[in-house]
Structures are given as structure tokens and as C-alpha cells.
Amino acid sequence: MRIRVLGAAAGGGFPQWNCGCPGCRAVRDGTRPTTPRTQSSIAVSPDGERWWLVNASPDVRTQLADSPALHPTGDRTTPLHGVLLTDAEIDHTLGLVLLREGRGVHVHATAATERTLRTGTGLLTTLERFCPVTWTEVVPGAEHDLGGLVYRAFDAPTAKHDRFAPPPAGPGTGTDVTGTDGTGRVVGYRFTDPATGRFAVHLPGVQDLTPAVLAEIDGADLLLVDGTTWFDDEMVRLGLAAKTAHDMGHLHVGGPGGSLERLDGLRVGRTVYVHINNTNPMLLDDSDERAEVEKAGAIVGYDGLELEI
């Protein structure tokens, strides 16, 4: 199994166009060592020839251009076979519209995500005006065979408000309301090589590492996990927002109760942080936070990182 990190930053990228935080300033003026990153997405393949995106970021065109394995193999023939979505967030789905030149887009998503993309943001409806769209329903807990690669989604805890979700339907309307209780709103994915049993977990957004989530992660050969902020109140400290990471549906990385501490001792081959917000000091190569991550044996993800299990 091959995995390529297409974009390692959270929404807005790094640097974010309207942000003057220390990290964004360092990218622009070069006063501290760091590397720009595009918005969160990975590509996964069983054989290096057939690829699926996990989330389609607003930077998807640049990300595909920077990935030779994903370049066209003929006039309009592409190794890209579909897109798996972890949620309906704009940062993870806006790139779908940028794939409109293709012969069609195959989207794998939960019922909750599909409903939001149709009746909330309208992205799928818009995309269908340009090209055929096929949809495979992702059911948390159920396995789906991609041919040499099997995925299974699992629910990631979140209390984040879905601003685009349609209002719940009333009893007896015949309308599917799956996901109004949080089920299927945000998921992680386990990708397993059926020939070897080795597996990778992609979890770019998670509010809490509950026992159920830890059970999904334990034993993974590779974990790509939410690295949005270092401190829970990071955005508040910088005067950039009134919400904590937890309020925004994410678990912070550093300090007591952070993911770095809570993942310690878990049976994981390699841990890579992705979906990293521009404010997170571990993006700075010379920061104490970067040193702490590396001391723990984890990797601060970056665009173009190639992984194989």
C-alpha cells in the first residue's frame, strides 16, 4: 500500500492568505526555517497505479500537478479512481468541483455527508451539471473492497456544528435522517492490505481519542492523525478566534491530555500529523514543539511525503 500526503495543512493552508501569525510570517519573510503546506488531503493506492483521494481540498489541482503518480496516462485517462470523504467540510470537498473536467467522479461518503453536499452546500448538485457523479455510501463499520485494498470507516467524535446540514426531517416524512445524532458526520478510515493484514489509519479530524477510536488505531502500521493545534486555546491566545480547538472539533497535540501524550504507548508503527493549522508552532522546524514531536518518534507531515506499508 502506498500513501502520499498531498496537503498537510488545515483549512486556509500555510501560510494562510489573511494571517500574520508567527508561523505565517516566518514563511513569508524567511526568518525561521519552515515549509509551506497546502490544504489537507492524501492519496492512497494498493499498487502505485490506481489511486483514490481522501478528501478533495481547494488545492487539489496543484496537489495533482505535484504528484507524478497521479498524472494522466493518456489523452484523458487518469489513475484517479475516486474520492473518499471524511466529512462535508468545505476544506475537504471544494476540490470536487475542480475535478469537473473528468469523465466522471466517483464519491465515497456517508449518508450524512452526501445529504449535506446536496441540500446544504450544493456541491454535488453543482458538480453533476458538469460531469457524471456516482456515489458509494460509506457505512461506518462496514468493509468496502477497492480491489487490492479494503477500507472501513469509523465514527470520529465531534460536537462541531455542521453549518450546512439541512434541518432534521420529522417522523413519517420518509426522509433519511442518519447522521443528525453525529453518526457518519465525521469519520476516519482504516485501509487494509488483505494480502498482509497491514493497515493504515487516516484520521484528520477528531475531537477526542475515545476508547472506541483508540481501538481502531491500536496496531496500525501507519497513523495519519489530526494535528490542528498544539494548545487547545491556541487561537484564543493569539487573538485570532474565540473558540478552542475542542470547540472546533479537534484534539490539541501538546501538553496534558493532548494527542501526543494519549497516543504514547499505543502499538503504532509510524505516526504522522496532518491537518495542521497555520498557528501550530510545530510547523516551525526550530521550535521546541517540533523537537517534542520528533523526540516522541512522530512526524510533522508535509506535502509530498511518500509512505509505504
Side-chain angles (χ1 to χ4, degrees):
M1 184 192 320
R2 291 180 58 186
I3 292 175
R4 179 181 174 92
V5 177
L6 300 179
F14 180 63
Q16 183 171 303
W17 69 275
N18 66 335
C19 186
C21 72
C24 290
R25 289 200 306 270
V27 175
R28 295 186 182 104
D29 62 25
T31 52
R32 294 181 67 180
T34 189
T35 304
R37 289 162 169 85
T38 59
Q39 295 171 89
S40 180
S41 177
I42 68 168
V44 59
S45 171
D47 52 17
E49 296 181 0
R50 295 167 296 136
W51 291 85
W52 283 262
L53 301 186
V54 186
N55 294 329
S57 89
D59 297 316
V60 67
R61 180 184 178 281
T62 298
Q63 292 168 345
L64 294 177
D66 290 342
S67 305
L70 290 162
H71 288 178
T73 55
D75 290 344
R76 288 295 173 92
T77 304
T78 170
L80 181 60
H81 284 248
V83 181
L84 283 64
L85 299 176
T86 61
D87 51 51
E89 288 290 329
I90 285 287
D91 302 329
H92 290 160
T93 59
L94 194 58
L96 289 172
V97 180
L98 302 180
L99 300 176
R100 66 189 182 277
E101 294 91 354
R103 293 172 178 170
V105 180
H106 189 169
V107 178
H108 299 246
T110 65
T113 291
E114 192 261 353
R115 186 177 61 252
T116 296
L117 292 178
R118 288 197 182 280
T119 60
T121 64
L123 282 176
L124 279 187
T125 305
T126 300
L127 181 59
E128 286 172 336
R129 300 295 180 93
F130 293 92
C131 70
V133 177
T134 54
W135 174 56
T136 292
E137 181 177 356
V138 172
V139 178
E143 291 190 343
H144 186 88
D145 190 353
L146 295 175
L149 188 66
V150 174
Y151 76 71
R152 176 166 61 80
F154 58 93
D155 280 303
T158 184
K160 184 178 181 180
H161 173 65
D162 186 347
R163 70 188 72 192
F164 293 107
T173 63
T175 302
D176 176 22
V177 294
T178 303
T180 55
D181 61 352
T183 303
R185 277 188 51 203
V186 179
V187 298
Y189 285 98
R190 279 178 60 141
F191 295 98
T192 302
D193 180 340
T196 65
R198 294 168 67 85
F199 71 95
V201 173
H202 185 228
L203 187 59
V206 66
Q207 191 174 46
D208 188 18
L209 292 175
T210 62
V213 172
L214 290 174
E216 297 286 354
I217 294 171
D218 194 31
D221 297 281
L222 173 66
L223 169 64
L224 299 111
V225 68
D226 188 344
T228 305
T229 67
W230 185 264
F231 305 101
D232 185 46
D233 62 347
E234 185 168 296
M235 302 286 283
V236 179
R237 292 188 188 193
L238 293 170
L240 299 176
K243 293 182 177 181
T244 64
H246 186 270
D247 292 336
M248 295 185 288
H250 300 282
L251 176 64
H252 61 288
V253 175
S259 60
L260 199 62
E261 176 187 82
R262 296 178 66 180
L263 290 170
D264 184 40
L266 212 62
R267 296 177 304 146
V268 174
R270 284 173 290 176
T271 297
V272 179
Y273 279 103
V274 293
H275 196 277
I276 308 166
N277 200 55
N278 59 88
T279 57
N280 193 325
M282 71 181 184
L283 286 170
L284 298 167
D285 299 354
D286 61 353
S287 67
D288 292 341
E289 290 81 5
R290 169 65 69 84
E292 189 171 340
V293 170
E294 293 178 346
K295 182 179 179 181
I299 299 169
V300 176
Y302 55 88
D303 295 17
L305 174 61
E306 299 274 2
L307 301 155
E308 188 171 345
I309 65 169

